[in-house]
C-alpha cells in the first residue's frame, strides 16, 4: 500500500542527486501531462504532501477495479481536477501526488517506473520478492486479502448472504485493481524485504547520507507551520527514540515500516487484514528495542 511512497521518494531523490531533477522546480517541468495555465507544485512540495493535489474523492475510488496499462494512463483519474489549496500552504495527504512524481521518474530516466524501481531500489536493497501487484500476473505466494464485516456493509448485502454472516465476521476484501495508484501504492513484497529496505536506508545503499538526512527531516509550510512529514517519510521525535516510518492501508492490506536510526533497527509489519493495528504493534516493538540493553 502506501509504503510505496518512500520507495518513489527514493527514486526521485536519486535522480536529484544526479542533477536530473531539481526538487524546487515545478512538477510540470518533468511531467508534461500536468495542465498548462495552472500554478504547479514543485517536486519537493509533492514529496511532502504540500502540493495541493487531491486524495481520493470518495470511498469507491480507492476500491476501483479498472485496469490501467501505464502510469501515464492512470493520471487521467485526477490530472484535470483543481488543486485543493495553493502549493506550499497546507499539508494534504495525497496518493495521486505521488503518481505525478512517478511520472517524473519515467520522463527523466526514460524508463517505465517499475523498471527503474526494480533496477535502482529493489535490486540494490536486495528486495527479491518485490514488484507490482499486477492483477493478471500469477505471483507465487501472493496472499488473499480479508476485512472485518462492518454493520453498514452487512446491511447492504443481499438477504441470502446476510443469513450466513454477521457484523464482525472476517470476509474476503473488496476486489481492487491497484494499477490506479502506482507509485503511491500497488506494490507487493514480503515483510522481510521491507526490512531490507529499511536497512539499505540505514547503510546508505540507496541515496547519500546527506540526502537521507534531508528526506528524514520534517518539512514546514510556506508560513512556517511544521508538519510531521519529510520527503516521502513520516518523521517523529517522540519518546522513547526518534523514528522514521510509513504506514499503508488498502483493500485487504495493512502495513507499517519503522526505521530507528539510533538503534540501527528496522521493524516491518504486514498483514492481509484490512484495518489491522500494525502501527500500534510496531510501537510496542519499538519500546522493547529502545529499552533493551545492546548485550541482549
Amino acid at each position: 500500500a502506501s509504503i510505496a511512497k518512500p520507495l518513489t521518494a527514493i527514486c526521485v531523490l536519486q535522480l536529484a542527486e544526479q542533477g536530473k531533477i531539481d526538487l524546487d522546480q515545478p512538477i510540470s517541468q518533468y511531467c508534461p501531462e500536468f495542465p498548462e495555465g495552472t500554478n504547479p507544485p514543485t517536486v519537493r512540495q509533492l514529496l511532502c504532501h504540500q502540493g495541493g493535489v487531491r486524495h481520493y474523492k470518495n470511498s469507491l475510488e480507492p476500491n476501483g477495479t479498472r485496469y490501467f496499462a501505464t502510469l501515464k494512463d492512470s493520471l487521467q483519474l485526477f490530472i484535470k481536477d483543481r488543486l485543493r489549496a495553493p502549493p506550499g500552504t497546507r499539508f494534504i495527504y495525497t496518493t495521486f501526488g505521488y503518481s505525478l512524481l512517478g511520472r517524473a521518474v519515467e520522463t527523466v530516466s526514460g524508463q517505465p517506473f517499475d523498471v527503474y524501481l526494480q533496477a535502482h531500489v529493489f535490486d540494490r536493497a536486495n528486495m527479491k520478492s518485490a514488484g507490482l501487484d499486477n492483477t493478471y500476473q500469477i505471483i507465487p505466494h501472493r496472499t488473499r486479502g480479508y476485512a472485518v464485516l462492518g454493520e453498514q456493509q452487512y446491511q447492504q448485502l443481499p438477504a441470502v448472504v446476510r443469513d450466513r454472516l454477521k457484523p464482525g465476521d472476517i470476509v474476503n476484501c473488496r476486489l481492487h485493481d491497484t494499477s490506479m495508484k502506482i507509485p503511491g501504492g500497488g506494490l507487493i513484497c514480503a515483510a522481510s524485504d521491507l526490512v531490507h529496505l529499511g536497512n539499505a536506508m540505514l547503510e546508505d545503499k540507496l541515496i547519500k547520507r546527506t540526502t537521507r538526512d534531508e528526506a528524514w527531516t520534517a518539512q514546514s509550510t510556506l508560513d512556517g507551520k511544521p508538519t510531521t512529514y519529510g520527503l516521502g517519510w513520516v518523521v517523529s521525535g517522540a519518546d522513547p527514540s526518534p523514528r522514521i516510518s510509513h504506514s499503508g492501508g488498502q483493500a485487504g492490506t495493512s502495513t507499517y515500516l519503522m526505521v530507528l536510526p539510533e538503534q540501527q533497527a528496522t521493524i516491518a509489519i504486514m498483514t492481509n487484514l484490512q484495518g489491522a493495528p500494525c502501527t500500534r504493534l510496531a510501537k510496542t516493538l519499538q519500546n522493547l528495542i529502545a529499552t533493551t540493553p545492546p548485550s541482549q
Side-chain angles (χ1 to χ4, degrees):
S2 286
I3 296 178
K5 293 179 175 70
L7 290 162
T8 299
I10 291 169
C11 296
V12 172
L13 294 171
Q14 287 176 344
L15 293 168
E17 287 181 342
Q18 299 168 29
K20 296 179 180 179
I21 288 181
D22 185 332
L23 299 185
D24 297 308
Q25 286 297 311
I27 188 62
S28 54
Q29 182 169 322
Y30 309 107
C31 179
E33 293 78 18
F34 197 87
E36 297 181 1
T38 59
N39 178 25
T42 66
V43 175
R44 185 187 303 275
Q45 288 167 341
L46 289 173
L47 284 169
C48 63
H49 296 288
Q50 294 182 35
V53 177
R54 73 169 178 87
H55 195 40
Y56 304 131
K57 62 183 178 182
N58 54 49
S59 60
L60 297 178
E61 200 167 48
N63 292 288
T65 56
R66 180 180 176 185
Y67 175 71
F68 291 93
T70 67
L71 172 54
K72 179 181 177 180
D73 289 343
S74 72
L75 299 182
Q76 63 186 276
L77 285 170
F78 68 93
I79 195 72
K80 295 181 180 179
D81 294 345
R82 295 179 59 184
L83 297 180
R84 289 190 55 208
T89 61
R90 287 176 56 193
F91 176 88
I92 300 175
Y93 185 85
T94 168
T95 289
F96 290 138
Y98 270 71
S99 296
L100 297 174
L101 292 169
R103 181 62 179 145
V105 171
E106 289 189 332
T107 58
V108 170
S109 69
Q111 298 177 305
F113 176 75
D114 62 306
V115 173
Y116 181 93
L117 184 65
Q118 180 70 51
H120 298 275
V121 180
F122 293 158
D123 289 349
R124 288 166 63 176
N126 195 32
M127 299 173 68
K128 296 186 181 300
S129 68
L132 299 185
D133 189 15
N134 190 300
T135 300
Y136 294 98
Q137 183 180 357
I138 302 299
I139 301 177
H141 310 297
R142 174 162 50 183
T143 57
R144 182 67 167 89
Y146 300 94
V148 177
L149 182 63
E151 178 67 37
Q152 183 178 7
Q153 183 184 4
Y154 172 77
Q155 295 299 333
Q156 295 172 347
L157 293 174
V160 65
V161 180
R162 289 203 303 270
D163 290 342
R164 303 174 185 176
L165 297 170
K166 64 181 182 300
D169 283 352
I170 302 296
V171 296
N172 291 318
C173 69
R174 291 183 179 183
L175 298 176
H176 178 36
D177 190 314
T178 58
S179 61
M180 54 82 72
K181 67 177 65 176
I182 299 167
L187 304 180
I188 191 170
C189 76
S192 56
D193 276 339
L194 286 187
V195 174
H196 289 316
L197 171 65
N199 290 346
M201 289 293 291
L202 290 171
E203 297 165 6
D204 305 325
K205 292 182 177 180
L206 299 173
I207 52 178
K208 298 176 182 177
R209 177 63 59 92
T210 53
T211 305
R212 190 199 78 179
D213 290 345
E214 184 178 8
W216 288 359
T217 298
Q219 303 293 296
S220 298
T221 56
L222 291 175
D223 61 0
K225 184 177 181 180
T227 72
T228 59
Y229 206 95
L231 305 181
W233 299 83
V234 177
V235 181
S236 173
D239 290 336
S241 63
R243 65 177 181 269
I244 310 298
S245 64
H246 213 289
S247 61
Q250 62 189 35
T253 299
S254 298
T255 59
Y256 195 80
L257 173 64
M258 179 188 292
V259 183
L260 304 173
E262 288 188 0
Q263 286 78 29
Q264 291 291 289
T266 299
I267 299 171
I269 301 176
M270 301 177 68
T271 175
N272 56 334
L273 178 63
Q274 188 173 326
C278 295
T279 301
R280 186 173 65 197
L281 177 56
K283 290 180 179 178
T284 299
L285 294 173
Q286 177 196 6
N287 291 335
L288 292 174
I289 292 173
T291 57
T292 301
S295 60
Q296 298 183 22

